[in-house]
């Protein structure tokens, strides 16, 4: 061994020994966890109100306040305060009003909306518009709690042998969860995904605890089955996709049942499985409560946009999208909202770095599979394999392309973090795996310690990428379009949208909120807004309204279906030069003279 490699090995051995000494102290573990929790929470609250509101976030705020959107007038001009009325707090609205409004206009289960209702009322007074910071802060808080939660899950999964490697796995899991670009993206959305992740971690903890009790032929405590039922019921009451996590857990339980059935000497009796059967029946009852509501989801307008197109030239597209979401759960570089050259460089660096690390990561995976922890690692890997298979079944069997949106993939996110942490811990604990580089440059050496450092750096850079809005950008950039409309318009303006579903209405509310936030305190004029219902009289209504308005006037069509020939009859001429091309909205402006 060369002198340089010997020094590297001794340094790594020393760090490993020190970490083991620290890890023997529960107090030190708690202090380190507190640091990871603090960093991760700060990242989640950084620039929390910077990104524009999305349509689904507007839905969360409106439904949580019990206001809904059906009261918004159609086919006539309204002011921005009128359109923003669903985002105003009304202290007379209670939790029962929230669920009634939610079930009348949406298909979501109510738990997160109830919690948001109470949370908002702690910070916002009657009649005030809810800010994005307040609306998103509850999700950010739950996202921060996922850091100690994944730490605890890691401790439970690898509790058979509390060695330095397993403590490293728990800490790496907390670090990766703190920095995860995907985790921060979900935490900065006013949505129910971070709470669902907490339920998934808790439910998986019960599942793994049960499997270990069965493996060791120990009696399963009744309280575990009861807690399991409560967690699963709350998970379904938060997001219907939680049912996919339950199916994934069912698959690993089924796999364990087949495995132990072949163990003739240690075959489990029927009585050993009674608590599991009780938990399954209790969970089924908790799920069936929502069946009448959930049965309407597949045909609901809220899910029509993910219908799968089975054209041969597009059928392969979900696969790279799925891989992309998997990678960005643990690593990301600036790829959106930056010059094309920077985006390309980021993708190339990320791909080359992944390929460079792959052989060593593969050796780490093989080491886990061949170690005494193979059982625990197989269980969590089986969960990921099962849930990803369910997603493919939804895409190609059920006709719903859930790969289109990153937010739908929270089901297996915490286990991806856990597996990644386990592989990094395996590398860090085995410095003797340093590979010789021959004549290759020193910087090219694939030492385990270097692999771990680079992987964590990629993860941390991904967190900065997301909080600065260079990744996971909103598809509709309402802030940019609002600034463009206000800076471009020199005459009184109307912003018009064609209304077909509640999605178009909420997108106009998001744009109105951006205009309101971008309006200077001394500015008194704001655009008027128009929601035109899509029917055979659509163009006639638009022309009648434009004819009745004083001129000059600017008409901003935002996702507006308009007959330009008819608009010319009322002297409204399109100005192609004033259009904003990269806002995510189909927008154009007509100058009416």
């Amino acid at each position: 061994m060369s002198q340089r490699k010997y020094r590297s090995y001794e340094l790594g051995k020393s760090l490993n020994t020190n970490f083991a000494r620290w890890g023997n102290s529960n107090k030190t573990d708690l202090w380190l966890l507190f640091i990871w929790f603090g960093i991760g929470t700060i990242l989640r609250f950084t620039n929390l109100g910077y990104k524009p509101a999305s349509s689904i976030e507007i839905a969360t705020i409106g439904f949580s306040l019990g206001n809904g959107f059906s009261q918004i007038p159609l086919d006539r001009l309204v002011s921005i305060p009128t359109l923003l009325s669903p985002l105003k707090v009304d202290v007379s609205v209670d939790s029962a009003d929230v669920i009634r409004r939610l079930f009348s206009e949406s298909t979501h289960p109510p738990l997160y909306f109830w919690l948001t209702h109470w949370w908002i009322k702690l910070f916002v007074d009657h009649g005030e518009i809810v800010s994005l910071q307040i609306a998103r802060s509850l999700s950010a808080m739950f996202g921060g709690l996922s850091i100690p939660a994944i730490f605890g899950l890691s401790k439970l999964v690898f509790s058979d042998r509390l060695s330095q490697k397993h403590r490293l796995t728990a800490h790496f899991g907390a670090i990766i969860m703190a920095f995860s670009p995907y985790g921060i993206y979900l935490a900065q959305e006013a949505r129910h995904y971070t709470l669902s992740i907490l339920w998934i971690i808790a439910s998986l903890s019960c599942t793994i605890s049960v499997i270990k009790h069965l493996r060791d032929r120990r009696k399963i405590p009744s309280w575990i089955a009861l807690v399991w039922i409560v967690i699963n019921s709350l998970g379904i009451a938060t997001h219907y996709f939680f049912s996919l996590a339950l199916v994934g857990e069912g698959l690993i339980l089924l796999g364990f049942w087949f495995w132990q059935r072949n163990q003739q000497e240690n075959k489990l009796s029927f009585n050993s499985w009674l608590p599991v059967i009780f938990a399954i029946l209790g969970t089924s009852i908790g799920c069936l409560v929502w069946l009448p509501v959930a049965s309407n989801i597949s045909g609901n307008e809220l899910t029509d946009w993910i219908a799968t197109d089975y054209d041969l030239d597009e059928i392969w597209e979900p696969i790279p999208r799925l891989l992309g979401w998997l990678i960005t759960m643990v690593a990301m570089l600036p790829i959106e909202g930056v010059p094309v050259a920077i985006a390309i460089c980021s993708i190339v660096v990320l791909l080359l770095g992944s390929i460079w690390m792959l052989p060593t990561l593969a050796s780490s995976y093989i080491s886990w599979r061949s170690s005494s922890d193979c059982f625990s690692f197989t269980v969590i890997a089986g969960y990921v394999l099962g849930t990803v298979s369910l997603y493919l079944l939804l895409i190609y069997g059920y006709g719903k392309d859930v790969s289109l949106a990153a937010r739908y993939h929270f089901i297996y996110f915490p286990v991806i973090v856990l597996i990644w942490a386990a592989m990094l811990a395996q590398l860090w604990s085995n410095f003797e795996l340093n590979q010789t580089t021959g004549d290759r440059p020193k910087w090219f050496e694939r030492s385990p310690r270097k692999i771990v450092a680079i992987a964590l750096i990629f993860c941390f850079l991904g967190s900065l990428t997301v909080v600065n809005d260079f990744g996971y950008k909103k598809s509709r950039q309402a802030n940019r379009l609002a600034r463009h409309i206000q800076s471009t318009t020199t005459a009184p303006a109307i912003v018009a949208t064609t209304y077909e579903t509640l999605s178009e209405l909420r997108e106009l509310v998001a744009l109105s909120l951006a205009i309101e936030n971008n309006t200077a305190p001394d500015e008194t004029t704001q655009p008027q807004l128009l929601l035109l219902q899509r029917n055979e009289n659509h163009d006639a209504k638009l022309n009648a309204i434009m004819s009745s308005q004083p001129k000059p006037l600017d008409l901003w069509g935002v996702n507006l279906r308009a007959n330009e020939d008819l608009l010319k009859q009322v002297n409204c001429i399109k100005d192609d030069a004033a259009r904003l091309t990269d806002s995510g909205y189909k927008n154009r402006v007509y100058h009416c003279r």
Side-chain angles (χ1 to χ4, degrees), residues 441-467:
K442 177 181 176 180
W443 57 265
F444 197 81
E445 180 182 349
R446 280 198 298 264
S447 67
R449 182 162 49 90
K450 186 180 293 184
I451 296 293
V452 173
I454 292 175
L456 294 180
I457 288 172
F458 273 153
C459 193
F460 178 67
L461 291 177
S463 69
L464 299 181
T465 296
V466 174
V467 299

CSV table of all heavy atoms in Angstrom, one decimal, residues 441-467:
chain,number,residue,atom,x,y,z
A,441,PRO,N,-5.5,9.6,-12.9
A,441,PRO,CA,-5.3,10.8,-12.0
A,441,PRO,C,-5.8,10.5,-10.6
A,441,PRO,O,-6.7,9.8,-10.4
A,441,PRO,CB,-6.0,11.9,-12.7
A,441,PRO,CG,-6.3,11.4,-14.1
A,441,PRO,CD,-6.3,10.0,-14.1
A,442,LYS,N,-5.2,11.2,-9.7
A,442,LYS,CA,-5.6,11.1,-8.3
A,442,LYS,C,-7.1,11.4,-8.1
A,442,LYS,O,-7.8,10.8,-7.3
A,442,LYS,CB,-4.7,12.0,-7.4
A,442,LYS,CG,-5.1,12.0,-5.9
A,442,LYS,CD,-4.2,12.9,-5.2
A,442,LYS,CE,-4.6,13.0,-3.7
A,442,LYS,NZ,-3.8,13.9,-3.0
A,443,TRP,N,-7.6,12.5,-8.8
A,443,TRP,CA,-9.0,12.9,-8.6
A,443,TRP,C,-10.0,11.9,-9.1
A,443,TRP,O,-11.1,11.9,-8.7
A,443,TRP,CB,-9.2,14.3,-9.3
A,443,TRP,CG,-8.9,14.3,-10.7
A,443,TRP,CD1,-7.7,14.6,-11.3
A,443,TRP,CD2,-9.7,13.9,-11.8
A,443,TRP,NE1,-7.8,14.5,-12.7
A,443,TRP,CE2,-9.0,14.0,-13.0
A,443,TRP,CE3,-11.0,13.4,-11.9
A,443,TRP,CZ2,-9.5,13.7,-14.2
A,443,TRP,CZ3,-11.6,13.0,-13.1
A,443,TRP,CH2,-10.8,13.2,-14.3
A,444,PHE,N,-9.5,10.9,-9.9
A,444,PHE,CA,-10.4,9.9,-10.5
A,444,PHE,C,-10.6,8.7,-9.6
A,444,PHE,O,-11.4,7.9,-9.8
A,444,PHE,CB,-9.9,9.5,-11.9
A,444,PHE,CG,-10.9,8.8,-12.7
A,444,PHE,CD1,-11.8,9.5,-13.4
A,444,PHE,CD2,-11.0,7.4,-12.7
A,444,PHE,CE1,-12.8,8.9,-14.2
A,444,PHE,CE2,-11.9,6.7,-13.5
A,444,PHE,CZ,-12.8,7.5,-14.3
A,445,GLU,N,-9.8,8.7,-8.5
A,445,GLU,CA,-9.9,7.5,-7.6
A,445,GLU,C,-11.2,7.3,-7.0
A,445,GLU,O,-11.8,8.3,-6.4
A,445,GLU,CB,-8.8,7.7,-6.5
A,445,GLU,CG,-8.8,6.5,-5.5
A,445,GLU,CD,-7.8,6.7,-4.4
A,445,GLU,OE1,-7.0,7.7,-4.6
A,445,GLU,OE2,-7.8,6.0,-3.5
A,446,ARG,N,-11.8,6.1,-7.1
A,446,ARG,CA,-13.1,5.9,-6.6
A,446,ARG,C,-13.0,5.3,-5.1
A,446,ARG,O,-13.3,4.1,-4.9
A,446,ARG,CB,-13.9,4.9,-7.5
A,446,ARG,CG,-14.5,5.5,-8.7
A,446,ARG,CD,-15.6,4.6,-9.2
A,446,ARG,NE,-15.1,3.4,-9.7
A,446,ARG,CZ,-14.7,3.1,-10.9
A,446,ARG,NH1,-14.8,4.0,-11.9
A,446,ARG,NH2,-14.2,1.9,-11.2
A,447,SER,N,-12.6,6.1,-4.2
A,447,SER,CA,-12.5,5.6,-2.8
A,447,SER,C,-13.9,5.7,-2.2
A,447,SER,O,-14.7,6.7,-2.5
A,447,SER,CB,-11.5,6.4,-2.0
A,447,SER,OG,-12.0,7.8,-1.9
A,448,PRO,N,-14.3,4.8,-1.3
A,448,PRO,CA,-15.6,4.9,-0.7
A,448,PRO,C,-15.9,6.2,0.0
A,448,PRO,O,-17.0,6.8,-0.1
A,448,PRO,CB,-15.6,3.7,0.3
A,448,PRO,CG,-14.6,2.7,-0.3
A,448,PRO,CD,-13.6,3.6,-0.9
A,449,ARG,N,-14.8,6.7,0.7
A,449,ARG,CA,-15.0,8.0,1.4
A,449,ARG,C,-15.3,9.1,0.5
A,449,ARG,O,-16.1,10.0,0.7
A,449,ARG,CB,-13.7,8.3,2.2
A,449,ARG,CG,-13.8,9.5,3.0
A,449,ARG,CD,-12.7,9.5,4.1
A,449,ARG,NE,-11.4,9.2,3.6
A,449,ARG,CZ,-10.5,10.1,3.1
A,449,ARG,NH1,-10.9,11.3,3.1
A,449,ARG,NH2,-9.4,9.7,2.7
A,450,LYS,N,-14.7,9.1,-0.7
A,450,LYS,CA,-14.9,10.2,-1.7
A,450,LYS,C,-16.3,10.0,-2.3
A,450,LYS,O,-17.0,11.0,-2.5
A,450,LYS,CB,-13.9,10.1,-2.8
A,450,LYS,CG,-13.9,11.2,-3.8
A,450,LYS,CD,-12.9,11.1,-4.9
A,450,LYS,CE,-11.5,11.3,-4.3
A,450,LYS,NZ,-10.4,11.2,-5.3
A,451,ILE,N,-16.7,8.8,-2.5
A,451,ILE,CA,-18.1,8.5,-3.1
A,451,ILE,C,-19.1,9.1,-2.1
A,451,ILE,O,-20.1,9.8,-2.6
A,451,ILE,CB,-18.3,7.0,-3.3
A,451,ILE,CG1,-17.3,6.5,-4.3
A,451,ILE,CG2,-19.7,6.8,-3.7
A,451,ILE,CD1,-17.6,7.0,-5.7
A,452,VAL,N,-19.0,8.8,-0.8
A,452,VAL,CA,-20.0,9.3,0.1
A,452,VAL,C,-20.0,10.8,0.1
A,452,VAL,O,-21.1,11.4,0.1
A,452,VAL,CB,-19.6,8.8,1.5
A,452,VAL,CG1,-20.5,9.4,2.6
A,452,VAL,CG2,-19.8,7.2,1.6
A,453,ALA,N,-18.8,11.4,0.1
A,453,ALA,CA,-18.8,12.9,0.2
A,453,ALA,C,-19.4,13.5,-1.1
A,453,ALA,O,-20.2,14.5,-0.9
A,453,ALA,CB,-17.3,13.4,0.3
A,454,ILE,N,-19.2,13.0,-2.2
A,454,ILE,CA,-19.7,13.5,-3.5
A,454,ILE,C,-21.2,13.3,-3.5
A,454,ILE,O,-22.0,14.2,-3.9
A,454,ILE,CB,-19.1,12.9,-4.7
A,454,ILE,CG1,-17.6,13.3,-4.8
A,454,ILE,CG2,-19.8,13.2,-6.0
A,454,ILE,CD1,-16.8,12.6,-5.9
A,455,ALA,N,-21.7,12.1,-3.0
A,455,ALA,CA,-23.1,11.9,-3.0
A,455,ALA,C,-23.9,12.9,-2.1
A,455,ALA,O,-24.9,13.4,-2.5
A,455,ALA,CB,-23.4,10.4,-2.5
A,456,LEU,N,-23.3,13.2,-0.9
A,456,LEU,CA,-23.9,14.1,0.0
A,456,LEU,C,-23.8,15.5,-0.6
A,456,LEU,O,-24.8,16.3,-0.4
A,456,LEU,CB,-23.3,14.0,1.3
A,456,LEU,CG,-23.5,12.7,2.1
A,456,LEU,CD1,-22.8,12.7,3.5
A,456,LEU,CD2,-25.0,12.4,2.3
A,457,ILE,N,-22.8,15.9,-1.3
A,457,ILE,CA,-22.6,17.2,-1.9
A,457,ILE,C,-23.7,17.4,-3.0
A,457,ILE,O,-24.4,18.4,-3.1
A,457,ILE,CB,-21.2,17.4,-2.5
A,457,ILE,CG1,-20.2,17.6,-1.4
A,457,ILE,CG2,-21.2,18.6,-3.4
A,457,ILE,CD1,-18.8,17.6,-1.9
A,458,PHE,N,-23.9,16.3,-3.8
A,458,PHE,CA,-25.0,16.4,-4.8
A,458,PHE,C,-26.3,16.6,-4.2
A,458,PHE,O,-27.2,17.4,-4.7
A,458,PHE,CB,-25.0,15.1,-5.6
A,458,PHE,CG,-24.1,15.1,-6.8
A,458,PHE,CD1,-23.5,13.9,-7.3
A,458,PHE,CD2,-23.7,16.3,-7.5
A,458,PHE,CE1,-22.7,13.9,-8.4
A,458,PHE,CE2,-22.9,16.3,-8.5
A,458,PHE,CZ,-22.3,15.1,-9.0
A,459,CYS,N,-26.5,15.9,-3.1
A,459,CYS,CA,-27.8,16.1,-2.4
A,459,CYS,C,-28.0,17.5,-1.8
A,459,CYS,O,-29.1,18.1,-2.0
A,459,CYS,CB,-27.9,15.0,-1.2
A,459,CYS,SG,-29.5,14.8,-0.5
A,460,PHE,N,-26.9,18.0,-1.2
A,460,PHE,CA,-27.0,19.4,-0.6
A,460,PHE,C,-27.2,20.4,-1.7
A,460,PHE,O,-28.0,21.3,-1.6
A,460,PHE,CB,-25.8,19.7,0.2
A,460,PHE,CG,-25.7,21.1,0.7
A,460,PHE,CD1,-26.6,21.4,1.7
A,460,PHE,CD2,-24.8,22.0,0.3
A,460,PHE,CE1,-26.6,22.7,2.2
A,460,PHE,CE2,-24.8,23.3,0.8
A,460,PHE,CZ,-25.7,23.6,1.8
A,461,LEU,N,-26.5,20.3,-2.8
A,461,LEU,CA,-26.7,21.2,-3.9
A,461,LEU,C,-28.1,21.1,-4.5
A,461,LEU,O,-28.6,22.1,-4.9
A,461,LEU,CB,-25.6,20.9,-5.1
A,461,LEU,CG,-24.2,21.2,-4.7
A,461,LEU,CD1,-23.3,20.8,-5.9
A,461,LEU,CD2,-24.0,22.7,-4.4
A,462,GLY,N,-28.7,19.9,-4.4
A,462,GLY,CA,-30.0,19.8,-4.9
A,462,GLY,C,-31.0,20.5,-4.0
A,462,GLY,O,-32.0,21.1,-4.5
A,463,SER,N,-30.7,20.6,-2.7
A,463,SER,CA,-31.6,21.3,-1.8
A,463,SER,C,-31.5,22.8,-2.1
A,463,SER,O,-32.5,23.5,-2.1
A,463,SER,CB,-31.2,21.1,-0.3
A,463,SER,OG,-29.9,21.6,0.0
A,464,LEU,N,-30.3,23.3,-2.4
A,464,LEU,CA,-30.2,24.7,-2.7
A,464,LEU,C,-30.8,25.0,-4.1
A,464,LEU,O,-31.4,26.1,-4.3
A,464,LEU,CB,-28.7,25.1,-2.8
A,464,LEU,CG,-27.9,25.0,-1.5
A,464,LEU,CD1,-26.5,25.4,-1.7
A,464,LEU,CD2,-28.6,25.8,-0.4
A,465,THR,N,-30.8,24.0,-5.0
A,465,THR,CA,-31.4,24.2,-6.3
A,465,THR,C,-32.9,24.4,-6.1
A,465,THR,O,-33.5,25.3,-6.8
A,465,THR,CB,-31.1,22.9,-7.2
A,465,THR,OG1,-29.7,22.8,-7.4
A,465,THR,CG2,-31.9,23.0,-8.5
A,466,VAL,N,-33.5,23.6,-5.3
A,466,VAL,CA,-35.0,23.7,-5.1
A,466,VAL,C,-35.4,25.0,-4.4
A,466,VAL,O,-36.4,25.6,-4.8
A,466,VAL,CB,-35.5,22.4,-4.4
A,466,VAL,CG1,-37.0,22.6,-4.1
A,466,VAL,CG2,-35.3,21.2,-5.3
A,467,VAL,N,-34.7,25.3,-3.3
A,467,VAL,CA,-35.2,26.5,-2.5
A,467,VAL,C,-35.0,27.8,-3.3
A,467,VAL,O,-35.7,28.8,-3.1
A,467,VAL,CB,-34.5,26.6,-1.2
A,467,VAL,CG1,-34.8,25.4,-0.3
A,467,VAL,CG2,-33.0,26.8,-1.3
